[in-house]
Amino acid sequence: MNCQPTYLNQNMMEVENRLSERFDGLVDELPDELNERRVKNGVILEESEEEVEAMEGGGVEGEEMLKSDGLHHNSGRIIKKAKRPIKATSFSEPSVPGVAPTQGLVNLNRASKNLRRPRNSLGRGLPKKGGAGGKGTWGKLGDEMELPWVDPNDPNYDSDGEEAAEVGKKTIKLNTLVPEMSEEDVRKAVEPLMLEYFENGECEEVLFSLEEMLLNIGSRRWMVPALAIELSMDHKPSHREMTSQLISELYQKVISQRDIGKAYDFLLRQLSDLILDTPDAPTIIGNFMARNIADDCIPPKFLQSYKGHVTEVEAVKALCRADTLLSMKHGLVRLDNVWGVGGGIRPVKYLVKKIVLLLKEYLCSCDIQEATRCLKDLEVPHFHHELVYEAVVMVIESMHEKTDEAMCKLLQALFRSFVITIEQMRAGFQRVYDQMVDISIDVPQAYSVLERWVLRCRQAGIINDDILKKMPSRGRKRFVSEGDGGLIKDSSYW
């Protein structure tokens, strides 16, 4: 009888312990005669397939085969080897009918089947690559935000985050390069803004547009007030008032005190050319200077800096005009109305006085163009019916043929030039019709004079038949001859 070495027995005991721990719960108990089935070199012999079939089939042949192989216990219990689950007893597929599953595998639940721990007792039991490994995976969430490198040649490469690039010991900072406009480009960009401002009067829109092009204008910001004043010379006094307000609004936002002073230097040098288009250019520039000083856009010493340095007559006249306005009593307060009060703001009595003076001057000079210019300067197109009313009243009060003819020519010229509309003409005549009772008290022949002059205006094409038919007539009760039976004759014109 061969005796096994001691170290071999210890190794066999360790193998048995490992097997018992590994198959605990899967197999009822380990075979009892593992020690009897040892061959050379300490290798355990496993059962063959034929032995298993014979063992499962039963019968005499199977028992004899098991006995002949020495796999039958003395007590009659059959020794079976622990085998792996086959397809018939797998977890993922249903069992084949007629084949009983392994007894140890029946007790496993779904959680045990889905465990990701390795079955070979190796590793830490963690998922591979943090759950993001394997073929066809894209990585964990957020991996795309932490790219290992960025290709500068990529079309989607964004270098805004890189404020400075270090080359050796020097730090290079990249600044935005903005092309600066020339004087011609600034003029082309600013003039449309000013003309549009004269139409809508929106200072905020001009300020927003200039702030957008501020970098491109650069050192030529002084051209903004210079162009605004130059353009306002060709417009009405109300537009000059709007220009003064715009300069005050742009001060310290787009333009500075130095820019305004440089603009006036440019305008004073160009006065000889500006006078050709605007004869009163020195007076206008002087008014602008005084108004800007009153608005605290430039200091009062600005005018003193020109003393002894200006030789042109026009420039001296402009500076004297500004100095005179500032030297008046309460001059700074009066400069708020240096351009006059706007047409819609002026009092009605003031407008009536101006219109009456206009008509009296016209009767003396008979200058239709000058009368038209003065009427336009009032900037009250909604109040032109007052001129028609005052003209008709003057014709009635004068009762002179020359006055009738002159007033008819004036209204005809204003009507044909579309200065006075048909609505304003109708409103003026209707006002006269409504006041004829009071007018006839002062002028007894008012109805006859009115009738004669209205017919003249109708022949001149100033009024239409509707205005003519509405003309009132003075009612007179004149009895006819005795043979008419005492009837009253209607003396109306129609």
Side-chain angles (χ1 to χ4, degrees):
M1 184 174 179
N2 296 330
C3 296
Q4 300 291 339
T6 306
Y7 68 89
L8 184 59
N9 293 334
Q10 294 176 358
N11 292 337
M12 293 300 296
M13 292 294 293
E14 292 178 0
V15 171
E16 291 178 2
N17 293 334
R18 289 181 181 179
L19 291 175
S20 62
E21 293 176 358
R22 183 173 180 181
F23 294 97
D24 187 14
L26 299 177
V27 184
D28 293 341
E29 60 181 1
L30 295 175
D32 295 335
E33 297 198 3
L34 285 175
N35 294 329
E36 296 179 1
R37 300 194 59 204
R38 297 190 179 95
V39 292
K40 295 180 180 181
N41 298 329
V43 179
I44 301 176
L45 299 177
E46 296 181 353
E47 298 174 350
S48 61
E49 295 181 359
E50 296 179 357
E51 294 175 353
V52 174
E53 293 177 357
M55 179 176 58
E56 292 177 353
V60 180
E61 297 179 357
E63 293 178 358
E64 291 177 356
M65 186 179 296
L66 291 174
K67 289 179 181 181
S68 63
D69 293 339
L71 297 176
H72 198 281
H73 195 265
N74 295 332
S75 62
R77 184 169 59 84
I78 298 175
I79 300 175
K80 297 181 180 180
K81 73 172 183 177
K83 56 184 179 179
R84 299 182 181 278
I86 59 177
K87 185 176 181 180
T89 59
S90 64
F91 296 106
S92 60
E93 297 183 3
S95 59
V96 180
V99 179
T102 307
Q103 184 178 1
L105 299 177
V106 176
N107 298 329
L108 289 177
N109 54 13
R110 183 64 62 180
S112 301
K113 177 246 180 185
N114 293 331
L115 289 177
R116 302 188 65 183
R117 293 196 300 268
R119 295 191 176 93
N120 57 359
S121 300
L122 299 177
R124 295 178 298 169
L126 300 176
K128 184 191 294 185
K129 296 183 180 180
K135 183 178 180 181
T137 58
W138 287 29
K140 295 184 293 184
L141 294 175
D143 288 348
E144 70 278 0
M145 304 300 295
E146 300 176 359
L147 298 178
W149 56 274
V150 179
D151 186 8
N153 298 324
D154 188 357
N156 297 326
Y157 175 70
D158 186 11
S159 61
D160 292 341
E162 302 177 3
E163 296 182 356
E166 294 186 1
V167 180
K169 296 182 180 180
K170 297 181 180 180
T171 301
I172 301 175
K173 187 175 181 180
L174 302 178
N175 297 325
T176 305
L177 179 61
V178 180
E180 187 173 352
M181 292 182 178
S182 61
E183 291 187 5
E184 184 179 359
D185 294 336
V186 174
R187 182 179 294 271
K188 291 180 179 179
V190 174
E191 282 187 359
L193 288 177
M194 296 303 169
L195 295 176
E196 185 178 357
Y197 169 68
F198 291 157
E199 297 294 333
N200 53 32
E202 294 290 338
C203 292
E204 296 180 356
E205 184 176 352
V206 180
L207 177 61
F208 178 75
S209 300
L210 290 176
E211 286 178 348
E212 287 185 344
M213 62 177 71
L214 199 58
L215 295 177
N216 300 97
I217 295 177
S219 60
R220 293 184 174 86
R221 300 181 185 179
W222 61 270
M223 294 187 65
V224 175
L227 290 174
I229 295 174
E230 185 178 348
L231 290 174
S232 66
M233 290 182 182
D234 300 332
H235 289 75
K236 303 174 183 178
S238 61
H239 294 154
R240 297 166 192 167
E241 174 66 24
M242 293 170 62
T243 303
S244 300
Q245 295 178 3
L246 179 63
I247 294 175
S248 178
E249 185 69 22
L250 297 180
Y251 177 61
Q252 292 184 346
K253 297 179 181 178
V254 175
I255 57 178
S256 62
Q257 186 181 84
R258 186 182 300 272
D259 296 331
I260 299 176
K262 193 172 182 180
Y264 281 118
D265 291 340
F266 173 78
L267 292 173
L268 290 176
R269 291 194 302 267
Q270 299 294 326
L271 262 180
S272 58
D273 297 333
L274 296 175
I275 290 176
L276 299 178
D277 297 330
T278 308
D280 57 344
T283 304
I284 295 175
I285 293 179
N287 293 346
F288 270 113
M289 285 185 180
R291 177 62 182 272
N292 289 149
I293 293 174
D295 293 339
D296 294 331
C297 296
I298 52 178
K301 66 179 182 180
F302 176 77
L303 297 178
Q304 305 298 328
S305 63
Y306 284 100
K307 283 188 175 181
H309 302 284
V310 179
T311 58
E312 293 81 1
V313 179
E314 295 82 4
V316 172
K317 184 178 179 180
L319 295 173
C320 291
R321 172 67 178 177
D323 190 27
T324 302
L325 293 174
L326 292 173
S327 301
M328 291 189 307
K329 186 178 182 181
H330 306 293
L332 296 179
V333 178
R334 293 181 179 181
L335 285 174
D336 292 339
N337 297 327
V338 68
W339 304 114
V341 184
I345 307 176
R346 291 173 181 173
V348 176
K349 292 182 179 181
Y350 173 82
L351 294 175
V352 171
K353 183 178 179 181
K354 287 292 185 180
I355 289 174
V356 172
L357 182 62
L358 183 152
L359 292 175
K360 289 182 179 180
E361 290 179 356
Y362 167 71
L363 291 177
C364 296
S365 63
C366 293
D367 190 352
I368 297 178
Q369 293 182 355
E370 181 65 19
T372 304
R373 186 190 65 81
C374 294
L375 181 62
K376 290 181 178 179
D377 290 343
L378 291 177
E379 300 180 17
V380 282
H382 60 281
F383 200 61
H384 285 174
H385 60 83
E386 181 67 24
L387 184 136
V388 179
Y389 172 80
E390 295 294 341
V392 177
V393 172
M394 283 187 180
V395 169
I396 295 174
E397 291 178 350
S398 66
M399 295 185 299
H400 197 277
E401 185 68 21
K402 184 179 178 180
T403 306
D404 295 356
E405 184 179 358
M407 288 298 181
C408 183
K409 288 182 179 180
L410 176 62
L411 294 182
Q412 184 180 14
L414 294 175
F415 181 74
R416 289 182 177 180
S417 60
F418 301 99
V419 177
I420 298 180
T421 61
I422 186 63
E423 289 80 9
Q424 296 293 325
M425 196 72 71
R426 182 184 295 108
F429 275 93
Q430 187 62 43
R431 287 182 58 192
V432 176
Y433 296 164
D434 297 339
Q435 298 292 329
M436 281 302 295
V437 177
D438 297 333
I439 295 175
S440 62
I441 297 175
D442 299 330
V443 183
Q445 299 180 1
Y447 284 96
S448 60
V449 176
L450 177 64
E451 181 178 349
R452 183 181 70 248
W453 196 72
V454 169
L455 290 176
R456 181 191 290 270
C457 292
R458 180 65 185 92
Q459 293 175 358
I462 301 175
I463 59 177
N464 51 22
D465 294 336
D466 294 337
I467 301 176
L468 182 62
K469 291 178 180 180
K470 293 180 180 179
M471 181 184 61
S473 61
R474 183 174 186 178
R476 292 182 301 166
K477 295 182 179 181
R478 183 168 58 88
F479 292 93
V480 296
S481 61
E482 297 178 357
D484 293 333
L487 298 178
I488 298 175
K489 184 178 180 180
D490 188 6
S491 61
S492 64
Y493 181 81
W494 297 100

